[in-house]
Amino acid sequence: MFAAERRQLILEMVRANGAVSLRELARVVQTSEVTVRRDVRALEAEGLLDRRHGGAVLPGGFTRESGFPQKSHLATAEKTAIADLAAGLVDEGEAIVVGAGTTTQELARRLARVPGLTVVTNSLLVAQALAHANRVEVVMTGGTLRGSNYALVGSGAEQSLQGLRVSRAFLSGSGLTAERGLSTSNMLSASVDRALVQAAAEVVVLADHTKLGTDTMFQTVPTDVITRLVTDEPPLHDDRAVTELQALADQGVQITVAGPGAAAPGPGPGPGGGAEGNGTAGRRPRRMGPPGAKGGDELPLPGQRRNHQPGAAGPQLRSASGLAEQQPAIGNGRIADLSPRRR
């Protein structure tokens, strides 16, 4: 494929999706990431797109939200790995909320195996994934259907969540930064996500590496309210994603990185965890957390500020393939290699 054809295809993908990773671009145009990076630089010089954290976005700083058909084909392997890990955080008999998104849809497919579970959601896709799970009760919010992501939004959705209390909220979004936390491009979606957060004792964010360092218009979850981030291993060249992960860990966010061969931490054999629960036994995730954290046993409630001093040493990221050894040291923190432990 000639350079002009490659660049036109790259430009069309970015325009269709709002943001695309270099890895995905290289796969679609069937060339190396080095070549794609060169093409992206050329397109940026023409003002046709902006480079961002191992990918390309529409020009103008904030990325726009792409529709479900586009999202469902982006970072599919990463979303699968993230969902596998996140499912292992859920116990039998729990009551949780699950927000809208393609990553949370993948999580819902795995939660169908957890007996006695109650799932509150505003997502038609999440509800559909759990519709035939006989041992899972699904509670849907009210609201107005937003067709681009098959989610219920508006005052009806928010009012139906008042007075609700569950153990965990699992949310995704359009971007995640240490400075602003989780954000999305749509005001109505952001408002419902904030209501979901208020209903939960812990907040778990599911975000693949392409969203790290990306900022969008409406904040949904401030960083100090995020209990845990489940993400995938950033590419070795994506220094900004690694730096963003370290910044999040420094602010007290527990981070689990799904690298090659990583799998969900489960409570043991049987439905909901272990070998029979997720079909991925024997593989291991990586985890980061604030200094002194013990397996995430002492986690703050939403809105509660963590006892973290600015400038204090935090743990260093170590990915499943030893990423930290190939990255420069960040701050004065230490390298953490901790497997998640069930509560």
Side-chain angles (χ1 to χ4, degrees), residues 4 14 22 47 53 57 62 65 94 96 121 154 159 173 177 194 201 219 254 260 293 303 333 338 343:
V14 174
L22 291 178
H53 325 307
V57 301
F62 291 109
E65 184 180 35
E94 262 193 283
I96 62 174
T121 185
Q159 289 171 10
T177 66
R194 285 192 288 268
Q219 182 192 56
Q254 297 286 334
L338 305 175
R343 289 165 62 89

Side-chain angles (χ1 to χ4, degrees), residues 49-69:
L49 51 74
D50 290 341
R51 287 183 295 156
R52 285 288 187 280
H53 325 307
V57 301
L58 291 173
F62 291 109
T63 60
R64 68 172 177 84
E65 184 180 35
S66 51
F68 172 77

Side-chain angles (χ1 to χ4, degrees), residues 128-141:
Q128 182 184 41
L130 295 168
H132 300 293
N134 355 344
R135 295 177 294 176
V136 178
E137 181 179 359
V138 180
V139 179
M140 294 212 64
T141 68

Side-chain angles (χ1 to χ4, degrees), residues 14 34 117 137 182 261 268 291 329:
V14 174
V34 174
L117 191 64
E137 181 179 359
L182 190 67

